[in-house]
Amino acid sequence: MVDARFEMFMRAAVQGIAFVDDQTQRALVNAVASAMLRVPEGEVDASVLLAAMRERHRNLSYAEEVAAEFARVLAHPEAAATGWIWEFTDPKAITLRVSSVPVHDATVRGRLWLFDDITAERALRHELEQQHGRERRREQYQLEAVRRLTAGIAHDFSNLLTVISGSAEMLSAPQHAPQHAPQHAPTGGVPPDRDSAADLQAIRQATQRAKALIRQLLALSGAPAATPERLELDPLLQRLSAELAAELDDQGRFVLVSDAPGAHVRIDERHLSLALMTFVANVREHLPVDGRIIVRSMRVQIATSIDPHAYVRMDARTDRYVAVTVGDSAGPHLSEIVDDLHKFLGEVDGGGASGEFGLGIASAVAEQAGGMIRCAHPTSNAAQYTLYLPEAHAVATGPRQMTPALGVAAWNELLAPMLVVDDDAGPRRVLRRLLEREGYTVLTADSAVDALRQLEANDGRVSGVISDYLMPGTTGMELLTAIRSRWPVLPFVLVSGFTYDDVTGDALQQLHAQFLPKPFTRDELLTTIRAAAAAMQTE
């Protein structure tokens, strides 16, 4: 059918070759094509070759499309197909690049079939695509994290500005007589000198400019404020597991161990996903080929005196936490705790795509949720990361009934204390001192749970409640809802570094409470207090 030189070329070729002679309807198949198509090597009937190819089509990923293209090529002698991918449904089967071109000259007329094994090439391309996909996801996660965490950062800056502006207010002189204080309230004071007064005025002006910049930062970020919700942790991790497992080539290497039944945390779901994705990406970088990533949830108790060698919040007020550990083992802790986070980041991450910036996101997420992160060296090359979140308990609330209750008279006569609720000691101290200068007696609470305990102890006999919005465990809005079920007309002021729409929308108005953005001046504070009292007097 063909000369000896062509036969020699067929035998030496590293790709599969089959030539079909149109005149004799015989095909010449080299050894490589014979193994690929499962037909005899050498000269065979053309129908045997075509039948073998049709049989192979049945197991292709896109069988119908390939069969249609195959029929087109056979129906038109001049038709050609190049770069044709035959990918089989069996993951262990080879992948072929197929070309079919007509061959016409003075001595022969037929069709040449070429088969290239591109299994390794496809696997490499798939790995590169997965790697690029992971990098893109990380970049998107990091960008989204910056945007979404901006609101929380602005909230923290607002707390700092509240302390600064409040302290400047209290240093101003002369101290004025409280407008609404009892007769025995202290008055008077020593005015500052002229230079000090100018300095204090500069502080107040700078605070107002900083407040405006925070608003611009929030607007430019285009990201909504975090909306922490009380969520059951184990079902939440189950929902996120597919997203986390996508970081691995073989998702069977991802293991979720749910060991915190009924435990609830208060966190923005997307923020938790960002933190855990960062952990998974870091662990994956040093995971053995046959290693697994294990994500485990569990309830833990942490002593008030947190290990100083761990990277954690040192002002944690609760010993009831839920831990989510990400590593190559299911153990909750490892013996060697890293005492320098930045050194740890340099050792583990090496400045890669999942480096220091990623763990900075995780620690910011933990801080905003009132929790902490811990990083440990294991005995293997991988690392272990643990995110601790305060366990969030439900706040019992009943149906809201606007019936007469204690609160209004006490507010007007200032015979009962004002309750200030804030998990941050700085703004809490500033509020207490500003109110005391106005003649108020002040009670303070560092959480919503503590506030409800004090209200129960006083039978609700307080002048009103001024509460921060974003607090670990229970938010200020949930505290307001709980208070309205017991003391429907108790004046309430919600304070936040977020904007009114981000925090409450219409809910605050429906619950007859007032909103005070941080940072605030003395006059803004007193005006909001009077508005809260007036709102209750109309009920």
Side-chain angles (χ1 to χ4, degrees), residues 85-115:
I85 304 300
W86 290 8
E87 188 170 23
F88 297 92
T89 54
D90 182 359
K92 296 181 180 180
I94 63 174
T95 300
L96 299 176
R97 181 190 295 119
V98 181
S99 296
S100 178
V101 293
V103 177
H104 299 158
D105 64 16
T107 60
V108 67
R109 183 181 183 89
R111 179 168 293 276
L112 185 67
W113 293 87
L114 303 175
F115 305 91

PDB file of all heavy atoms in Angstrom, residues 85-115:
ATOM      1  N   ILE A  85      -9.760  17.374  20.594  1.00  0.00           N
ATOM      2  CA  ILE A  85      -9.456  16.768  21.895  1.00  0.00           C
ATOM      3  C   ILE A  85     -10.445  15.655  22.198  1.00  0.00           C
ATOM      4  O   ILE A  85     -11.664  15.868  22.186  1.00  0.00           O
ATOM      5  CB  ILE A  85      -9.489  17.819  23.017  1.00  0.00           C
ATOM      6  CG1 ILE A  85      -8.535  18.971  22.705  1.00  0.00           C
ATOM      7  CG2 ILE A  85      -9.138  17.180  24.359  1.00  0.00           C
ATOM      8  CD1 ILE A  85      -7.094  18.550  22.562  1.00  0.00           C
ATOM      9  N   TRP A  86      -9.880  14.470  22.450  1.00  0.00           N
ATOM     10  CA  TRP A  86     -10.697  13.349  22.897  1.00  0.00           C
ATOM     11  C   TRP A  86     -10.368  13.102  24.370  1.00  0.00           C
ATOM     12  O   TRP A  86      -9.322  12.528  24.695  1.00  0.00           O
ATOM     13  CB  TRP A  86     -10.390  12.085  22.079  1.00  0.00           C
ATOM     14  CG  TRP A  86     -10.874  12.150  20.652  1.00  0.00           C
ATOM     15  CD1 TRP A  86     -11.387  13.242  20.019  1.00  0.00           C
ATOM     16  CD2 TRP A  86     -10.863  11.084  19.705  1.00  0.00           C
ATOM     17  NE1 TRP A  86     -11.713  12.943  18.725  1.00  0.00           N
ATOM     18  CE2 TRP A  86     -11.407  11.608  18.492  1.00  0.00           C
ATOM     19  CE3 TRP A  86     -10.464   9.760  19.728  1.00  0.00           C
ATOM     20  CZ2 TRP A  86     -11.548  10.844  17.334  1.00  0.00           C
ATOM     21  CZ3 TRP A  86     -10.611   8.981  18.578  1.00  0.00           C
ATOM     22  CH2 TRP A  86     -11.146   9.515  17.389  1.00  0.00           C
ATOM     23  N   GLU A  87     -11.276  13.520  25.232  1.00  0.00           N
ATOM     24  CA  GLU A  87     -11.072  13.351  26.680  1.00  0.00           C
ATOM     25  C   GLU A  87     -12.086  12.329  27.183  1.00  0.00           C
ATOM     26  O   GLU A  87     -13.288  12.484  26.967  1.00  0.00           O
ATOM     27  CB  GLU A  87     -11.258  14.686  27.415  1.00  0.00           C
ATOM     28  CG  GLU A  87     -10.880  14.612  28.880  1.00  0.00           C
ATOM     29  CD  GLU A  87     -10.843  16.005  29.513  1.00  0.00           C
ATOM     30  OE1 GLU A  87     -11.507  16.926  28.988  1.00  0.00           O
ATOM     31  OE2 GLU A  87     -10.155  16.161  30.528  1.00  0.00           O
ATOM     32  N   PHE A  88     -11.601  11.296  27.837  1.00  0.00           N
ATOM     33  CA  PHE A  88     -12.441  10.176  28.223  1.00  0.00           C
ATOM     34  C   PHE A  88     -13.022  10.363  29.624  1.00  0.00           C
ATOM     35  O   PHE A  88     -12.440  11.047  30.470  1.00  0.00           O
ATOM     36  CB  PHE A  88     -11.646   8.872  28.137  1.00  0.00           C
ATOM     37  CG  PHE A  88     -11.193   8.544  26.747  1.00  0.00           C
ATOM     38  CD1 PHE A  88      -9.952   8.966  26.282  1.00  0.00           C
ATOM     39  CD2 PHE A  88     -12.024   7.850  25.877  1.00  0.00           C
ATOM     40  CE1 PHE A  88      -9.540   8.683  24.994  1.00  0.00           C
ATOM     41  CE2 PHE A  88     -11.619   7.555  24.585  1.00  0.00           C
ATOM     42  CZ  PHE A  88     -10.378   7.976  24.137  1.00  0.00           C
ATOM     43  N   THR A  89     -14.181   9.752  29.829  1.00  0.00           N
ATOM     44  CA  THR A  89     -14.855   9.881  31.126  1.00  0.00           C
ATOM     45  C   THR A  89     -14.090   9.171  32.231  1.00  0.00           C
ATOM     46  O   THR A  89     -14.177   9.559  33.397  1.00  0.00           O
ATOM     47  CB  THR A  89     -16.278   9.299  31.039  1.00  0.00           C
ATOM     48  OG1 THR A  89     -16.206   7.943  30.541  1.00  0.00           O
ATOM     49  CG2 THR A  89     -17.137  10.128  30.092  1.00  0.00           C
ATOM     50  N   ASP A  90     -13.340   8.148  31.891  1.00  0.00           N
ATOM     51  CA  ASP A  90     -12.520   7.460  32.876  1.00  0.00           C
ATOM     52  C   ASP A  90     -11.321   8.342  33.211  1.00  0.00           C
ATOM     53  O   ASP A  90     -10.481   8.632  32.338  1.00  0.00           O
ATOM     54  CB  ASP A  90     -12.035   6.122  32.309  1.00  0.00           C
ATOM     55  CG  ASP A  90     -11.211   5.330  33.320  1.00  0.00           C
ATOM     56  OD1 ASP A  90     -11.000   5.828  34.444  1.00  0.00           O
ATOM     57  OD2 ASP A  90     -10.776   4.208  32.970  1.00  0.00           O
ATOM     58  N   PRO A  91     -11.198   8.810  34.465  1.00  0.00           N
ATOM     59  CA  PRO A  91     -10.094   9.730  34.801  1.00  0.00           C
ATOM     60  C   PRO A  91      -8.722   9.094  34.638  1.00  0.00           C
ATOM     61  O   PRO A  91      -7.719   9.806  34.540  1.00  0.00           O
ATOM     62  CB  PRO A  91     -10.376  10.095  36.259  1.00  0.00           C
ATOM     63  CG  PRO A  91     -11.235   9.001  36.783  1.00  0.00           C
ATOM     64  CD  PRO A  91     -12.053   8.525  35.626  1.00  0.00           C
ATOM     65  N   LYS A  92      -8.651   7.758  34.602  1.00  0.00           N
ATOM     66  CA  LYS A  92      -7.364   7.083  34.452  1.00  0.00           C
ATOM     67  C   LYS A  92      -6.977   6.897  32.990  1.00  0.00           C
ATOM     68  O   LYS A  92      -5.849   6.495  32.685  1.00  0.00           O
ATOM     69  CB  LYS A  92      -7.412   5.722  35.147  1.00  0.00           C
ATOM     70  CG  LYS A  92      -7.619   5.819  36.657  1.00  0.00           C
ATOM     71  CD  LYS A  92      -7.644   4.444  37.294  1.00  0.00           C
ATOM     72  CE  LYS A  92      -7.862   4.546  38.805  1.00  0.00           C
ATOM     73  NZ  LYS A  92      -7.898   3.197  39.438  1.00  0.00           N
ATOM     74  N   ALA A  93      -7.911   7.160  32.072  1.00  0.00           N
ATOM     75  CA  ALA A  93      -7.634   6.987  30.644  1.00  0.00           C
ATOM     76  C   ALA A  93      -6.816   8.160  30.122  1.00  0.00           C
ATOM     77  O   ALA A  93      -6.831   9.258  30.690  1.00  0.00           O
ATOM     78  CB  ALA A  93      -8.939   6.861  29.865  1.00  0.00           C
ATOM     79  N   ILE A  94      -6.099   7.917  29.024  1.00  0.00           N
ATOM     80  CA  ILE A  94      -5.298   8.984  28.426  1.00  0.00           C
ATOM     81  C   ILE A  94      -6.203   9.968  27.700  1.00  0.00           C
ATOM     82  O   ILE A  94      -7.342   9.652  27.346  1.00  0.00           O
ATOM     83  CB  ILE A  94      -4.244   8.414  27.462  1.00  0.00           C
ATOM     84  CG1 ILE A  94      -4.936   7.694  26.302  1.00  0.00           C
ATOM     85  CG2 ILE A  94      -3.272   7.504  28.201  1.00  0.00           C
ATOM     86  CD1 ILE A  94      -3.956   7.219  25.229  1.00  0.00           C
ATOM     87  N   THR A  95      -5.701  11.165  27.489  1.00  0.00           N
ATOM     88  CA  THR A  95      -6.397  12.181  26.697  1.00  0.00           C
ATOM     89  C   THR A  95      -5.651  12.340  25.381  1.00  0.00           C
ATOM     90  O   THR A  95      -4.415  12.435  25.360  1.00  0.00           O
ATOM     91  CB  THR A  95      -6.445  13.514  27.447  1.00  0.00           C
ATOM     92  OG1 THR A  95      -7.131  13.343  28.682  1.00  0.00           O
ATOM     93  CG2 THR A  95      -7.155  14.581  26.615  1.00  0.00           C
ATOM     94  N   LEU A  96      -6.382  12.383  24.277  1.00  0.00           N
ATOM     95  CA  LEU A  96      -5.777  12.423  22.953  1.00  0.00           C
ATOM     96  C   LEU A  96      -6.060  13.752  22.260  1.00  0.00           C
ATOM     97  O   LEU A  96      -7.153  14.310  22.378  1.00  0.00           O
ATOM     98  CB  LEU A  96      -6.311  11.283  22.085  1.00  0.00           C
ATOM     99  CG  LEU A  96      -6.053   9.849  22.577  1.00  0.00           C
ATOM    100  CD1 LEU A  96      -6.726   8.856  21.640  1.00  0.00           C
ATOM    101  CD2 LEU A  96      -4.564   9.577  22.683  1.00  0.00           C
ATOM    102  N   ARG A  97      -5.054  14.222  21.522  1.00  0.00           N
ATOM    103  CA  ARG A  97      -5.267  15.306  20.559  1.00  0.00           C
ATOM    104  C   ARG A  97      -5.254  14.654  19.186  1.00  0.00           C
ATOM    105  O   ARG A  97      -4.266  14.031  18.798  1.00  0.00           O
ATOM    106  CB  ARG A  97      -4.194  16.377  20.661  1.00  0.00           C
ATOM    107  CG  ARG A  97      -4.433  17.524  19.660  1.00  0.00           C
ATOM    108  CD  ARG A  97      -3.258  18.479  19.573  1.00  0.00           C
ATOM    109  NE  ARG A  97      -3.031  19.181  20.814  1.00  0.00           N
ATOM    110  CZ  ARG A  97      -1.918  19.100  21.536  1.00  0.00           C
ATOM    111  NH1 ARG A  97      -0.942  18.291  21.135  1.00  0.00           N
ATOM    112  NH2 ARG A  97      -1.769  19.788  22.647  1.00  0.00           N
ATOM    113  N   VAL A  98      -6.359  14.781  18.461  1.00  0.00           N
ATOM    114  CA  VAL A  98      -6.542  14.060  17.197  1.00  0.00           C
ATOM    115  C   VAL A  98      -6.589  15.043  16.030  1.00  0.00           C
ATOM    116  O   VAL A  98      -7.228  16.095  16.119  1.00  0.00           O
ATOM    117  CB  VAL A  98      -7.838  13.214  17.239  1.00  0.00           C
ATOM    118  CG1 VAL A  98      -8.018  12.452  15.934  1.00  0.00           C
ATOM    119  CG2 VAL A  98      -7.811  12.263  18.436  1.00  0.00           C
ATOM    120  N   SER A  99      -5.920  14.677  14.977  1.00  0.00           N
ATOM    121  CA  SER A  99      -5.998  15.447  13.728  1.00  0.00           C
ATOM    122  C   SER A  99      -6.290  14.485  12.588  1.00  0.00           C
ATOM    123  O   SER A  99      -5.799  13.346  12.574  1.00  0.00           O
ATOM    124  CB  SER A  99      -4.688  16.190  13.461  1.00  0.00           C
ATOM    125  OG  SER A  99      -4.441  17.154  14.453  1.00  0.00           O
ATOM    126  N   SER A 100      -7.085  14.955  11.625  1.00  0.00           N
ATOM    127  CA  SER A 100      -7.425  14.144  10.449  1.00  0.00           C
ATOM    128  C   SER A 100      -7.363  15.037   9.226  1.00  0.00           C
ATOM    129  O   SER A 100      -8.103  16.028   9.131  1.00  0.00           O
ATOM    130  CB  SER A 100      -8.820  13.529  10.595  1.00  0.00           C
ATOM    131  OG  SER A 100      -9.168  12.781   9.452  1.00  0.00           O
ATOM    132  N   VAL A 101      -6.454  14.688   8.303  1.00  0.00           N
ATOM    133  CA  VAL A 101      -6.261  15.545   7.126  1.00  0.00           C
ATOM    134  C   VAL A 101      -6.253  14.669   5.867  1.00  0.00           C
ATOM    135  O   VAL A 101      -5.747  13.532   5.876  1.00  0.00           O
ATOM    136  CB  VAL A 101      -4.940  16.329   7.226  1.00  0.00           C
ATOM    137  CG1 VAL A 101      -5.007  17.334   8.368  1.00  0.00           C
ATOM    138  CG2 VAL A 101      -3.752  15.397   7.414  1.00  0.00           C
ATOM    139  N   PRO A 102      -6.812  15.169   4.777  1.00  0.00           N
ATOM    140  CA  PRO A 102      -6.757  14.416   3.506  1.00  0.00           C
ATOM    141  C   PRO A 102      -5.349  14.475   2.913  1.00  0.00           C
ATOM    142  O   PRO A 102      -4.648  15.474   3.055  1.00  0.00           O
ATOM    143  CB  PRO A 102      -7.776  15.150   2.635  1.00  0.00           C
ATOM    144  CG  PRO A 102      -7.833  16.539   3.185  1.00  0.00           C
ATOM    145  CD  PRO A 102      -7.561  16.419   4.651  1.00  0.00           C
ATOM    146  N   VAL A 103      -4.939  13.376   2.263  1.00  0.00           N
ATOM    147  CA  VAL A 103      -3.626  13.297   1.607  1.00  0.00           C
ATOM    148  C   VAL A 103      -3.859  12.913   0.149  1.00  0.00           C
ATOM    149  O   VAL A 103      -4.382  11.826  -0.138  1.00  0.00           O
ATOM    150  CB  VAL A 103      -2.717  12.262   2.301  1.00  0.00           C
ATOM    151  CG1 VAL A 103      -1.391  12.148   1.554  1.00  0.00           C
ATOM    152  CG2 VAL A 103      -2.487  12.633   3.752  1.00  0.00           C
ATOM    153  N   HIS A 104      -3.480  13.787  -0.777  1.00  0.00           N
ATOM    154  CA  HIS A 104      -3.679  13.553  -2.207  1.00  0.00           C
ATOM    155  C   HIS A 104      -2.382  13.861  -2.945  1.00  0.00           C
ATOM    156  O   HIS A 104      -1.807  14.949  -2.761  1.00  0.00           O
ATOM    157  CB  HIS A 104      -4.796  14.445  -2.768  1.00  0.00           C
ATOM    158  CG  HIS A 104      -6.132  14.203  -2.131  1.00  0.00           C
ATOM    159  ND1 HIS A 104      -7.139  15.147  -2.141  1.00  0.00           N
ATOM    160  CD2 HIS A 104      -6.628  13.121  -1.474  1.00  0.00           C
ATOM    161  CE1 HIS A 104      -8.201  14.662  -1.509  1.00  0.00           C
ATOM    162  NE2 HIS A 104      -7.903  13.434  -1.101  1.00  0.00           N
ATOM    163  N   ASP A 105      -1.915  12.936  -3.732  1.00  0.00           N
ATOM    164  CA  ASP A 105      -0.829  13.217  -4.670  1.00  0.00           C
ATOM    165  C   ASP A 105      -1.006  12.301  -5.895  1.00  0.00           C
ATOM    166  O   ASP A 105      -2.025  11.623  -6.032  1.00  0.00           O
ATOM    167  CB  ASP A 105       0.548  13.066  -4.017  1.00  0.00           C
ATOM    168  CG  ASP A 105       0.856  11.642  -3.571  1.00  0.00           C
ATOM    169  OD1 ASP A 105       0.160  10.720  -4.021  1.00  0.00           O
ATOM    170  OD2 ASP A 105       1.786  11.473  -2.762  1.00  0.00           O
ATOM    171  N   ALA A 106      -0.006  12.240  -6.721  1.00  0.00           N
ATOM    172  CA  ALA A 106      -0.138  11.500  -7.977  1.00  0.00           C
ATOM    173  C   ALA A 106      -0.231  10.002  -7.774  1.00  0.00           C
ATOM    174  O   ALA A 106      -0.791   9.277  -8.611  1.00  0.00           O
ATOM    175  CB  ALA A 106       1.052  11.829  -8.892  1.00  0.00           C
ATOM    176  N   THR A 107       0.307   9.522  -6.622  1.00  0.00           N
ATOM    177  CA  THR A 107       0.357   8.070  -6.433  1.00  0.00           C
ATOM    178  C   THR A 107      -0.604   7.545  -5.385  1.00  0.00           C
ATOM    179  O   THR A 107      -0.919   6.351  -5.377  1.00  0.00           O
ATOM    180  CB  THR A 107       1.779   7.659  -6.021  1.00  0.00           C
ATOM    181  OG1 THR A 107       2.123   8.323  -4.794  1.00  0.00           O
ATOM    182  CG2 THR A 107       2.786   8.014  -7.118  1.00  0.00           C
ATOM    183  N   VAL A 108      -1.078   8.386  -4.479  1.00  0.00           N
ATOM    184  CA  VAL A 108      -1.918   7.898  -3.387  1.00  0.00           C
ATOM    185  C   VAL A 108      -2.992   8.921  -3.060  1.00  0.00           C
ATOM    186  O   VAL A 108      -2.807  10.121  -3.233  1.00  0.00           O
ATOM    187  CB  VAL A 108      -1.070   7.590  -2.118  1.00  0.00           C
ATOM    188  CG1 VAL A 108      -0.496   8.883  -1.532  1.00  0.00           C
ATOM    189  CG2 VAL A 108      -1.901   6.844  -1.080  1.00  0.00           C
ATOM    190  N   ARG A 109      -4.121   8.387  -2.617  1.00  0.00           N
ATOM    191  CA  ARG A 109      -5.210   9.270  -2.203  1.00  0.00           C
ATOM    192  C   ARG A 109      -5.830   8.626  -0.962  1.00  0.00           C
ATOM    193  O   ARG A 109      -6.267   7.464  -0.992  1.00  0.00           O
ATOM    194  CB  ARG A 109      -6.255   9.416  -3.306  1.00  0.00           C
ATOM    195  CG  ARG A 109      -7.393  10.382  -2.973  1.00  0.00           C
ATOM    196  CD  ARG A 109      -8.394  10.437  -4.130  1.00  0.00           C
ATOM    197  NE  ARG A 109      -9.442  11.411  -3.856  1.00  0.00           N
ATOM    198  CZ  ARG A 109      -9.371  12.691  -4.177  1.00  0.00           C
ATOM    199  NH1 ARG A 109      -8.280  13.146  -4.789  1.00  0.00           N
ATOM    200  NH2 ARG A 109     -10.365  13.520  -3.921  1.00  0.00           N
ATOM    201  N   GLY A 110      -5.856   9.383   0.140  1.00  0.00           N
ATOM    202  CA  GLY A 110      -6.384   8.800   1.370  1.00  0.00           C
ATOM    203  C   GLY A 110      -6.490   9.826   2.489  1.00  0.00           C
ATOM    204  O   GLY A 110      -6.557  11.031   2.241  1.00  0.00           O
ATOM    205  N   ARG A 111      -6.489   9.315   3.721  1.00  0.00           N
ATOM    206  CA  ARG A 111      -6.646  10.207   4.889  1.00  0.00           C
ATOM    207  C   ARG A 111      -5.652   9.785   5.978  1.00  0.00           C
ATOM    208  O   ARG A 111      -5.535   8.587   6.296  1.00  0.00           O
ATOM    209  CB  ARG A 111      -8.077  10.156   5.421  1.00  0.00           C
ATOM    210  CG  ARG A 111      -8.329  11.022   6.638  1.00  0.00           C
ATOM    211  CD  ARG A 111      -9.807  11.141   6.935  1.00  0.00           C
ATOM    212  NE  ARG A 111     -10.490  11.900   5.874  1.00  0.00           N
ATOM    213  CZ  ARG A 111     -10.558  13.224   5.823  1.00  0.00           C
ATOM    214  NH1 ARG A 111      -9.972  13.952   6.763  1.00  0.00           N
ATOM    215  NH2 ARG A 111     -11.207  13.808   4.840  1.00  0.00           N
ATOM    216  N   LEU A 112      -4.988  10.772   6.498  1.00  0.00           N
ATOM    217  CA  LEU A 112      -4.003  10.550   7.555  1.00  0.00           C
ATOM    218  C   LEU A 112      -4.609  10.934   8.900  1.00  0.00           C
ATOM    219  O   LEU A 112      -5.148  12.025   9.068  1.00  0.00           O
ATOM    220  CB  LEU A 112      -2.749  11.384   7.294  1.00  0.00           C
ATOM    221  CG  LEU A 112      -1.574  11.170   8.267  1.00  0.00           C
ATOM    222  CD1 LEU A 112      -0.992   9.765   8.112  1.00  0.00           C
ATOM    223  CD2 LEU A 112      -0.500  12.231   8.022  1.00  0.00           C
ATOM    224  N   TRP A 113      -4.493   9.997   9.865  1.00  0.00           N
ATOM    225  CA  TRP A 113      -4.968  10.244  11.240  1.00  0.00           C
ATOM    226  C   TRP A 113      -3.757  10.315  12.164  1.00  0.00           C
ATOM    227  O   TRP A 113      -2.882   9.437  12.128  1.00  0.00           O
ATOM    228  CB  TRP A 113      -5.891   9.117  11.708  1.00  0.00           C
ATOM    229  CG  TRP A 113      -7.203   9.049  10.976  1.00  0.00           C
ATOM    230  CD1 TRP A 113      -7.460   8.400   9.812  1.00  0.00           C
ATOM    231  CD2 TRP A 113      -8.424   9.662  11.375  1.00  0.00           C
ATOM    232  NE1 TRP A 113      -8.763   8.557   9.430  1.00  0.00           N
ATOM    233  CE2 TRP A 113      -9.397   9.346  10.390  1.00  0.00           C
ATOM    234  CE3 TRP A 113      -8.818  10.458  12.447  1.00  0.00           C
ATOM    235  CZ2 TRP A 113     -10.717   9.774  10.452  1.00  0.00           C
ATOM    236  CZ3 TRP A 113     -10.122  10.894  12.521  1.00  0.00           C
ATOM    237  CH2 TRP A 113     -11.063  10.561  11.534  1.00  0.00           C
ATOM    238  N   LEU A 114      -3.718  11.363  12.997  1.00  0.00           N
ATOM    239  CA  LEU A 114      -2.621  11.560  13.950  1.00  0.00           C
ATOM    240  C   LEU A 114      -3.204  11.614  15.367  1.00  0.00           C
ATOM    241  O   LEU A 114      -4.199  12.320  15.622  1.00  0.00           O
ATOM    242  CB  LEU A 114      -1.881  12.862  13.653  1.00  0.00           C
ATOM    243  CG  LEU A 114      -1.300  12.999  12.234  1.00  0.00           C
ATOM    244  CD1 LEU A 114      -0.701  14.385  12.045  1.00  0.00           C
ATOM    245  CD2 LEU A 114      -0.260  11.920  11.957  1.00  0.00           C
ATOM    246  N   PHE A 115      -2.576  10.883  16.273  1.00  0.00           N
ATOM    247  CA  PHE A 115      -3.051  10.805  17.665  1.00  0.00           C
ATOM    248  C   PHE A 115      -1.891  11.133  18.608  1.00  0.00           C
ATOM    249  O   PHE A 115      -0.887  10.419  18.647  1.00  0.00           O
ATOM    250  CB  PHE A 115      -3.585   9.405  17.983  1.00  0.00           C
ATOM    251  CG  PHE A 115      -4.647   8.929  17.039  1.00  0.00           C
ATOM    252  CD1 PHE A 115      -4.307   8.203  15.908  1.00  0.00           C
ATOM    253  CD2 PHE A 115      -5.994   9.207  17.270  1.00  0.00           C
ATOM    254  CE1 PHE A 115      -5.274   7.749  15.016  1.00  0.00           C
ATOM    255  CE2 PHE A 115      -6.967   8.772  16.386  1.00  0.00           C
ATOM    256  CZ  PHE A 115      -6.612   8.040  15.256  1.00  0.00           C
TER     257      PHE A 115
END
